[in-house]
Amino acid sequence: MSFEIPDGLTDLLQDFTVAVLKERPPDLVKFAADYFNKLKEKNAEQPRGVRFAENEPMQTSDSDDEPMEPPPQRFTRRKSVSAERYDPEADDEEPDEKIVNPKTDDQRLRLSDAVKPIFLFRSLDPEQMHCVLDAMFERKVTVGEHVIDQGDDGDNFYVIDSGIYDIFVDNKMVGKYENRGSFGELALMYNMPRAATIIATSEGIIWALDRITFRRIVLKNAYEKRKVYESLLENVPMLKTLDTYERMNIADALFTRTFGDGDVIIKQGDSADCMYFVEDGEVKITVKNMNDPDSKEKEVSNYTNGMYFGELALVTHKPRAATCYAVGKTRLAVLDVQAFERLLGPCMDILKRNINEYEEQLVQVFGSKAAISDLR
Ligand code: 1OR
Ligand code: 1OR
């Protein structure tokens, strides 16, 4: 297959991505529409290098070194002008040869530890995982080393073995990685310049995965997962406080579970290890007085698409405060407690505020919140 990238596409998408990262607009669709409309007005008298016709086939290149030009979809929304034009199926070509970087037993052990928490790898089958681990290679990092510079082309995806790494966007520190995690997937997934600078502030070790293997094996699963959960997460009010990149990380961590009518999803009094977002269906919430063996369950809430539950016990570190049943066939996106703690930190204030609401309802239902174990 031979693909040709239209003149100006890369620059146009890069400029747009930079504008999004700089402005961090709350409404990406509106921002994208305004941005491209303004550009269209500006270019009205000039010949156009790029067309955004819907259904126009993706143009691609014939080698993986010069990959097709997927737009920065995750920084736009699903129905944006170009988001639907990237077809990961087109990435199916097998490479001529597998990349194998031999490793000692100690390296293999450290590597398999380092990749355990990497959500992007979780949907790989054992064979794919094997290829990825074979291809990875170790890099030692010194204090002050720039592992990635914003604006550069993407070469590798990195998984942290050890060390502390500061994250800078436009010279502003926006976060850090401490001895775990991964970075450098954005430029490889969306064919855009590096979106952040990553600087080691301690000595460390990272595992690198070359761009070709990343795109061949990891990209498709990761891309589709982000796409599946993107619209769900965009519509959860609590998550609006997060930026697009933070929501992408949540999408990487989610997995779907399906329940049948009447199935118990959560049982009051049980210990908690995850929370749920309703992808499709309905969930009935009941509570009973756990101190009274004769207490009957009372229905207190009904949740539908885009709503979340099961967060309370993760915030309070107490047993489940209610029982949750599926009403009809219900599909839920599950976030486990480790991911919850890693990724929902910025929403903790909102989550804690919700406790007040539960308590007020508790008083209304049972006359006193003392009837049920304290929620806090
Ligand atoms: P990359 O290939 O663009 C830099 O190379 C990497 O830094 C990037 O992939 C991500 O893996 C990682 N925004 C963009 N990239 C980030 C961010 C980030 N944090 C880490 N990376 N933000 C910080 C969110 C807490 C958003 C800032 C507006
Ligand atoms: P969880 O982890 O305790 C049960 O597991 C979930 O049900 C809980 O998180 C909430 O997400 C959800 N009181 C306690 N939990 C509730 C309530 C609730 N409603 C939904 N959940 N009340 C109803 C408030 C409208 C007060 C009880 C009377």
Side-chain angles (χ1 to χ4, degrees):
M1 245 189 295
S2 167
F3 301 107
E4 193 182 307
I5 299 166
D7 280 351
L9 179 63
T10 311
D11 285 348
L12 180 120
L13 295 175
Q14 283 179 1
D15 289 351
F16 173 63
T17 305
V18 168
V20 169
L21 291 175
K22 273 192 183 150
E23 302 276 331
R24 303 176 67 181
D27 185 338
L28 269 177
V29 175
K30 186 175 176 309
F31 181 80
D34 291 348
Y35 178 91
F36 287 111
N37 275 329
K38 268 188 208 139
L39 198 66
K40 193 169 118 200
E41 281 163 24
K42 224 168 104 187
N43 292 351
E45 303 310 318
Q46 298 167 14
R48 287 165 64 182
V50 181
R51 280 189 304 124
F52 282 108
E54 292 283 6
N55 304 325
E56 197 182 340
M58 188 71 210
Q59 302 203 358
T60 48
S61 74
D62 59 0
S63 95
D64 219 338
D65 277 345
E66 220 188 310
M68 57 176 143
E69 197 73 18
Q73 304 84 336
R74 296 312 103 203
F75 291 100
T76 62
R77 293 194 191 200
R78 294 184 76 175
K79 292 294 170 215
S80 67
V81 275
S82 50
E84 300 301 333
R85 299 171 65 225
Y86 168 52
D87 174 13
E89 297 296 334
D91 248 20
D92 264 353
E93 301 152 57
E94 284 298 312
D96 295 329
E97 56 187 280
K98 249 173 69 171
I99 297 175
V100 178
N101 287 297
K103 292 169 191 75
T104 63
D105 287 349
D106 166 64
Q107 281 180 313
R108 282 220 161 256
L109 215 62
R110 279 190 290 113
L111 177 57
S112 64
D113 263 0
V115 298
K116 261 189 211 130
I118 306 305
F119 299 123
L120 286 174
F121 288 173
R122 289 223 176 137
S123 42
L124 301 181
D125 63 36
E127 165 80 18
Q128 292 172 318
M129 192 67 194
H130 194 78
C131 290
V132 164
L133 295 184
D134 268 350
M136 294 189 89
F137 55 98
E138 187 174 352
R139 242 182 80 180
K140 293 204 164 49
V141 177
T142 51
V143 180
E145 188 174 327
H146 287 221
V147 181
I148 285 181
D149 277 303
Q150 189 175 348
D152 280 0
D153 286 340
D155 47 5
N156 299 316
F157 168 67
Y158 297 102
V159 173
I160 296 168
D161 182 311
S162 61
I164 309 209
Y165 304 83
D166 287 348
I167 310 163
F168 294 86
V169 173
D170 296 334
N171 297 318
K172 219 174 86 199
M173 192 173 146
V174 293
K176 66 163 78 173
Y177 300 103
E178 291 179 84
N179 293 305
R180 59 191 274 172
S182 62
F183 54 82
E185 81 291 2
L186 283 182
L188 308 189
M189 277 175 95
Y190 305 117
N191 254 331
M192 57 184 216
R194 294 296 198 184
T197 295
I198 309 287
I199 303 177
T201 59
S202 74
E203 285 196 348
I205 296 175
I206 49 181
W207 293 96
L209 179 66
D210 65 279
R211 170 192 179 90
I212 295 176
T213 312
F214 180 90
R215 286 183 65 86
R216 182 171 64 87
I217 301 177
V218 185
L219 174 71
K220 196 169 145 189
N221 286 330
Y223 175 89
E224 299 204 329
K225 206 160 172 208
R226 286 185 175 185
K227 194 165 150 180
V228 165
Y229 293 121
E230 178 189 36
S231 48
L232 171 75
L233 296 179
E234 271 178 352
N235 291 315
V236 177
M238 165 181 76
L239 304 180
K240 293 230 188 302
T241 53
L242 301 182
D243 62 47
T244 313
Y245 186 66
E246 290 171 310
R247 276 198 301 271
M248 282 179 186
N249 285 322
I250 297 177
D252 293 341
L254 290 174
F255 56 95
T256 292
R257 277 184 68 192
T258 307
F259 293 85
D261 187 37
D263 285 355
V264 176
I265 305 160
I266 283 178
K267 190 153 174 286
Q268 187 175 348
D270 279 0
S271 57
D273 59 3
C274 64
M275 69 168 288
Y276 299 89
F277 298 90
V278 184
E279 274 187 80
D280 192 31
E282 196 179 323
V283 175
K284 181 175 83 179
I285 316 285
T286 68
V287 286
K288 67 174 181 178
N289 184 347
M290 298 293 272
N291 301 323
D292 173 3
D294 297 328
S295 165
K296 294 257 178 314
E297 287 183 23
K298 296 186 186 189
E299 185 172 339
V300 290
S301 248
N302 239 52
Y303 289 160
T304 53
N305 297 7
M307 299 170 91
Y308 62 88
F309 62 94
E311 82 299 355
L312 185 57
L314 303 185
V315 178
T316 58
H317 303 289
K318 299 238 166 149
R320 296 295 196 185
T323 298
C324 311
Y325 297 95
V327 181
K329 191 177 169 200
T330 299
R331 220 173 59 231
L332 303 173
V334 188
L335 188 70
D336 70 31
V337 60
Q338 289 84 11
F340 173 87
E341 284 174 356
R342 247 164 86 185
L343 302 171
L344 287 192
C347 304
M348 217 40 86
D349 283 347
I350 300 180
L351 291 171
K352 285 189 175 152
R353 246 180 278 143
N354 290 349
I355 300 179
N356 296 336
E357 283 171 36
Y358 291 131
E359 279 179 346
E360 279 165 25
Q361 291 286 329
L362 211 61
V363 175
Q364 278 181 22
V365 174
F366 290 102
S368 141
K369 70 177 178 187
I372 303 192
S373 57
D374 202 347
L375 287 177
R376 284 167 197 276

